[in-house]
Amino acid sequence: MGMVARTGDAAAFAGLVKRWEGPIRRLCVRMAGEERGENLAQETFVRVFARRGQYAEGKKFSTWVWQIAVNVCREEWRKAERRGEVSLGEREVHEKQPGPAERAEALERAVLVQEALAGLGERLREVVILREYHGLTFREVAEVLGVAEGTVKWRMAEGLSELGRRLGPRLGEGQRALATDERG
Amino acid sequence: MGVMMNGDEHIERGELAGFLYGELAGERRAVVEGHLAGCAECREEVARWEAVRGELQGWRVVERHEARRPVWGRAWRVAAAVGLVAAGFAAARMTAPRGVSVDEMEARLVAERVERARLQTGMAAALQQMEARRVADSAALRRDIETVAVRTQAAFEQIVASAKPEEP
């Protein structure tokens, strides 16, 4: 990134995009759904390039990129709220059609998870996604979001509990199986 | 979570989350483990969170290369070539001269995206035309081959007929 920031080298930027394209796209898709997520990922890289001069050498580059991506997603979230949309990603969730029989179960599971996440508040959802899907530690998530580590852990606990309520029936099955295992 | 029936305090929920994700240092981890051994309420909470984590893994984002379908067949090569040229063009233009303000840079990038979208739209239309032409060419070629075959057959039959010896 240092080279990109100093020289505006398009080739160096292309390398950077190649390395980060997957993780940023996955984050944006999880935050905003497939269709909007693609656009938000592109927007993230446009901003990374446009703001390359603001990147401070010595600062962790990953934190800087995650921050930009999260902010892009937050802006989209607020726009969606102003437009009166229920929640991001929900429309796409309902548009998905069941595939072949052998994929139906996996698809149903994915749809339920998307719906549950789409129903979480922005603050809880971003913590759950960054920690659970992108493997950032709580400290790293705190740096990205600019809040205390304790706040992040509290949000994670709240997020998991809320997801538990939303995924209730499915978890019931899992927990019954767990109880059986423990007894067995 | 508050206080247990025996007067001991429950583990703070944020710390339980830290435990769940393996982020507690040795001593705190041992304290939490000790608490969980004697507290069904916290144990249930952690078990429920674990179940939630298991469910979360059921959603895997489809990677772009997995979602791509071979709609265009060989035309993809053409599309890739055109895309490379467009990307090179965009990358070259993105190399801004020094001294350009961030606002100006953003404006240029927005224009760049519009231009790229326009190029992609044009490319898709061109590819559709190519595909339609290919289908039409194939049909025409097939008709030509069939015509030649029919004429060849007719000519062959004529030759055979003319070569037959006349009956006495």
Side-chain angles (χ1 to χ4, degrees):
Chain A
M1 181 62 197
M3 185 181 289
V4 177
R6 281 193 305 275
T7 65
D9 182 356
F13 183 69
L16 190 148
V17 170
K18 191 176 176 189
R19 183 175 169 194
W20 280 90
E21 185 184 18
I24 293 297
R25 179 181 166 271
R26 285 193 290 275
L27 172 75
C28 294
V29 166
R30 286 193 168 107
M31 291 291 283
E34 188 85 31
E35 191 182 326
R36 280 183 237 191
E38 295 283 355
N39 293 335
L40 295 181
Q42 280 184 28
E43 178 63 27
T44 298
F45 286 111
V46 167
R47 285 199 196 178
V48 166
F49 189 78
R51 296 179 184 178
R52 64 196 187 282
Q54 295 169 22
Y55 172 70
E57 287 284 354
K59 188 178 177 183
K60 210 170 168 187
F61 177 67
S62 58
T63 304
W64 189 68
V65 174
W66 289 124
Q67 275 172 343
I68 290 175
V70 166
N71 285 334
V72 166
C73 292
R74 281 178 174 178
E75 284 169 22
E76 179 63 18
W77 177 282
R78 276 156 207 164
K79 280 183 206 163
E81 277 190 329
R82 278 199 294 276
R83 289 194 295 263
E85 293 172 19
V86 181
S87 63
L88 294 173
E90 199 161 277
R91 184 174 57 82
E92 285 180 18
V93 166
H94 292 302
E95 279 177 357
K96 286 186 187 297
Q97 299 296 318
E102 64 270 19
R103 289 172 52 203
E105 163 68 19
L107 186 62
E108 182 196 344
R109 192 178 174 202
V111 168
L112 287 171
V113 169
Q114 285 180 65
E115 282 180 334
L117 277 167
L120 282 188
E122 176 190 63
R123 300 289 189 222
L124 302 187
R125 176 151 65 154
E126 58 197 20
V127 167
V128 170
I129 288 173
L130 286 170
R131 182 64 189 87
E132 184 63 42
Y133 290 114
H134 295 276
L136 274 68
T137 64
F138 287 122
R139 181 182 297 249
E140 287 167 339
V141 175
E143 284 171 10
V144 169
L145 302 179
V147 297
E149 188 178 341
T151 305
V152 170
K153 287 180 178 171
W154 181 86
R155 287 181 188 172
M156 191 76 208
E158 285 296 303
L160 290 173
S161 294
E162 180 59 29
L163 287 170
R165 283 187 284 277
R166 289 172 181 275
L167 295 167
R170 290 190 66 87
L171 296 182
E173 291 168 20
Q175 285 196 318
R176 276 195 295 279
L178 189 66
T180 308
D181 288 348
E182 282 175 357
R183 280 198 301 274
Chain B
M1 204 170 273
V3 180
M4 294 167 65
M5 286 179 71
N6 63 6
D8 289 347
E9 287 198 357
H10 284 294
I11 298 292
E12 194 267 321
R13 298 176 80 231
E15 193 160 35
L16 277 186
F19 172 80
L20 181 68
Y21 283 88
E23 289 195 28
L24 285 191
E27 191 183 338
R28 283 310 302 168
R29 182 171 185 82
V31 169
V32 172
E33 281 173 347
H35 176 81
L36 289 176
C39 177
E41 196 180 332
C42 287
R43 215 166 42 239
E44 278 174 24
E45 178 109 271
V46 171
R48 192 165 180 82
W49 289 352
E50 277 178 343
V52 169
R53 290 192 67 190
E55 286 302 309
L56 289 176
Q57 294 310 314
W59 179 23
R60 194 177 69 86
V61 173
V62 177
E63 298 296 334
R64 193 177 284 134
H65 63 85
E66 292 176 279
R68 186 178 294 159
R69 292 173 194 155
V71 177
W72 301 104
R74 281 184 301 174
W76 263 113
R77 291 181 203 162
V78 180
V82 175
L84 275 175
V85 171
F89 177 68
R93 288 193 60 191
M94 282 170 81
T95 313
R98 287 166 192 274
V100 175
S101 72
V102 170
D103 286 344
E104 194 178 342
M105 174 70 72
E106 290 227 9
R108 284 185 191 186
L109 287 166
V110 167
E112 203 67 63
R113 292 180 70 189
V114 170
E115 173 70 9
R116 200 165 30 191
R118 198 182 64 74
L119 275 173
Q120 281 171 348
T121 308
M123 192 168 70
L127 288 170
Q128 267 179 327
Q129 281 179 358
M130 280 170 58
E131 182 69 3
R133 198 173 302 143
R134 190 189 64 75
V135 170
D137 286 349
S138 297
L141 183 61
R142 189 173 176 178
R143 278 198 305 275
D144 288 345
I145 290 170
E146 283 171 358
T147 305
V148 168
V150 167
R151 286 182 181 169
T152 305
Q153 178 70 22
F156 180 72
E157 283 171 2
Q158 204 172 11
I159 291 167
V160 170
S162 63
K164 272 185 184 175
E166 286 183 11
E167 290 188 13

